[in-house]
Amino acid sequence: MNNVGHGNSPITERVLSASDDMSAQLAGLRQVSVDGRVARETINLAYGFFTPLTGFMNSEDVHAVCNNMHLKSGVLWPIPIVLDASAEELHSNQIREGDGLLLTYEGNPLAVMDVEEIFDYDVEAMARAVLGTADTAHPGVGMYKSMRDRFVAGPVTLVAAPRFREPYDRFWHTPLELRRAFHDRQWLRVVAHQTRNVPHGGHEWLMKGAWFAANGDLGVERIQTGILVSCIIGPKRVGDYIDEAIILGHQALQDGGYFRRDVHLVSIALWDMRYAGPKEALFHAILRENMGCSHHMFGRDHAGVGRFYDPYDAHRIFDALGIEELAIKPVRLLEWWYCPVCKEITYSGLCGHVDRRQSFSGSMIRSILQDEVKPTTLVFRPEVFDATMTAAALYGGGSPFCTAEYLSSRPPVFDMPPTGSHAR
Amino acid sequence: MGETWSQQVSRPYCTVEIWINEERLGRLQDIGLAELAEEVLAGMRVLRIPCAEVEARELLGQCPAAKHDAATTGTIELLPPAVKSALFELVVRHGSLDVVRDYLNDVSAESD
């Protein structure tokens, strides 16, 4: 089994095990509470999702990433991974470089951090470097501008495994677990599908098209290529699909037999979208490289928002990379639409009936779901529609879309054990 | 030639769009209205119910979450599914698209 991740670095886990009785040491550490984004990124760092990173970036790495899209070591990296803290909190807790810290999340111990550097950075410059804009109409800009005024760098170690609630617990897999799962399935190639949507017919064919592209020249005697559906779990806005509907909708594609069980795996990935278009596409590729994927599909307007990026900027950024910089291949895809002449969902790069195309517009799909009218099987597989509406009833207060009430009352996706360590 | 005065006053102020799937299409075929449903995506069709200005105001008054999108689609958006289903049932029962007034009357009668 190959456990080499991005930058030719091994995937390593930094998680205390149940046998590590660290309670006395933890009790003596100064504490800093972190928000959801930092908690999610701490977990990613500790499990190797961000290999070769083992902790939050120092000023040299942030500078190198912002200016050259590489770490100081020369490894390709497009987005700073930083822990922000307030100067006041650091001062009042007398936290200095060289200290050990206990990061807490929602009042419970999260991780131990060795403070290697405390530094300032211009967050507007960081936003411009990552997003290409400081326009506050871009949602990523707000995220950067909300950061506090100091950054704390250093490696992190989780004090225990996070506890995911149902149904997330069934879909949470670490990079090492995923690599084991791919190995057990005898997949030589794995193509990642990143998603924040309940899958409609266009998505299904996007995945199938990417599978064909990734499978390419492999023999047909045995299926050796798989699809990893990687559902992004992070902050939500009113009107987004609820996470439960996304995950269970994708699983319904497999349960309904539209994807064979031996070629399809649904998982979740913790990440706060920056909507950074091309740079975020590159980051997603690195994330899935660390998860063990050989290919990553990129459709139209991947990780984009509004009109800040050209719909295919996320494809073109890969043209600028050196061949050794990334051990995952992009699968670049155009749009899949329904053609009433071909009478099928077809690929815009193949279909000649452009004037007759029927595109899968997000607003149209949303309207169908809001009206609770069971769509035709080419729009939504019946199993996907049923799973979506069941998730809406179970988790969304009747709606498959986030409402203000859902966002204010939903239980957390994960939490940390209140005391001690509970390694998996 | 421009619209006549009578054409202008009879023109609907806006529409309510109702999704038509295969099951609903069959019911429209039974009453001869299937051709009024326009196919928009892979067999899913839209039936556009005309709505006069006074009717739109009453509908919006009853459904506070709904909105009239005057700028782009000219439709009443975000009507509850139950309202749209009731409108569709009235279309099938009356064999006509002019059902918004009937719906409002039914609601008014129920609340009396």
Side-chain angles (χ1 to χ4, degrees), chain A residues 139-363:
Chain A
V141 171
M143 181 183 147
Y144 281 104
K145 289 201 165 180
S146 70
M147 286 182 173
R148 294 174 290 179
D149 52 357
R150 292 284 190 281
F151 294 97
V152 184
V156 292
T157 302
L158 281 187
V159 298
R163 303 181 302 190
F164 285 81
R165 73 170 164 89
E166 189 280 331
Y168 302 93
D169 53 350
R170 286 183 276 144
F171 300 95
W172 165 247
H173 306 295
T174 67
L176 290 180
E177 289 173 344
L178 284 170
R179 285 161 181 259
R180 169 60 61 191
F182 300 162
H183 178 78
D184 291 347
R185 287 166 170 76
Q186 299 182 301
W187 290 351
L188 295 181
R189 297 177 188 170
V190 186
V191 58
H193 173 60
Q194 134 120 9
T195 185
R196 292 180 297 127
N197 286 302
V198 169
H200 55 55
H203 294 129
E204 181 184 325
W205 276 97
L206 178 72
M207 289 186 273
K208 288 176 173 173
W211 184 91
F212 284 117
N215 191 59
D217 59 342
L218 290 179
V220 296
E221 292 78 11
R222 183 165 52 81
I223 300 298
Q224 299 174 96
T225 298
I227 296 169
L228 178 72
V229 179
S230 184
C231 307
I232 288 285
I233 305 296
K236 308 292 282 189
R237 295 181 291 188
V238 169
D240 290 345
Y241 281 111
I242 62 172
D243 287 326
E244 295 89 344
I246 298 168
I247 298 165
L248 297 173
H250 274 279
Q251 184 60 38
L253 276 179
Q254 183 189 113
D255 295 341
Y258 304 103
F259 288 99
R260 287 167 41 162
R261 289 189 188 281
D262 59 345
V263 300
H264 184 258
L265 180 65
V266 180
S267 69
I268 59 173
L270 304 176
W271 176 245
D272 294 39
M273 290 286 295
R274 273 65 164 171
Y275 303 97
K279 286 202 173 178
E280 184 136 3
L282 198 48
F283 175 81
H284 291 162
I286 292 170
L287 183 67
R288 276 49 186 249
E289 178 188 352
N290 283 326
M291 291 160 76
C293 298
S294 59
H295 294 71
H296 195 305
M297 64 188 82
F298 294 99
R300 189 177 190 278
D301 206 21
H302 185 96
V305 62
R307 295 176 181 269
F308 285 96
Y309 312 103
D310 178 86
Y312 294 101
D313 276 351
H315 291 196
R316 296 184 196 104
I317 194 168
F318 291 93
D319 294 334
L321 304 181
I323 195 164
E324 299 294 330
E325 295 209 86
L326 204 56
I328 185 170
K329 292 180 180 173
V331 175
R332 310 178 201 203
L333 294 163
L334 297 168
E335 187 183 353
W336 293 80
W337 62 46
Y338 179 78
C339 173
V341 181
C342 302
K343 296 191 183 304
E344 64 186 6
I345 295 171
T346 186
Y347 188 56
S348 57
L350 296 172
C351 177
H353 310 112
V354 179
D355 295 342
R356 303 287 304 276
R357 71 183 183 274
Q358 296 175 359
S359 293
F360 286 85
S361 92
S363 58

Side-chain angles (χ1 to χ4, degrees), chain A residues 395-407:
Chain A
Y395 306 104
S399 171
F401 302 106
C402 295
T403 61
E405 188 180 0
Y406 170 86
L407 293 178

Side-chain angles (χ1 to χ4, degrees), chain A residues 338 340 345 358-361 363-365 367-368 370-379, chain B residues 17-22 24 39-45 77-82 84-85:
Chain A
Y338 179 78
I345 295 171
Q358 296 175 359
S359 293
F360 286 85
S361 92
S363 58
M364 197 181 287
I365 295 292
S367 170
I368 293 172
Q370 277 168 340
D371 286 5
E372 300 174 17
V373 178
K374 193 162 200 165
T376 54
T377 189
L378 290 179
V379 174
Chain B
E17 293 188 339
I18 295 180
W19 283 106
I20 303 298
N21 58 10
E22 290 145 323
R24 284 183 170 181
E39 181 173 344
V40 291
L41 179 62
M44 288 299 284
R45 291 169 165 79
E77 309 281 349
L78 302 175
L79 279 175
K84 289 194 173 186
S85 290

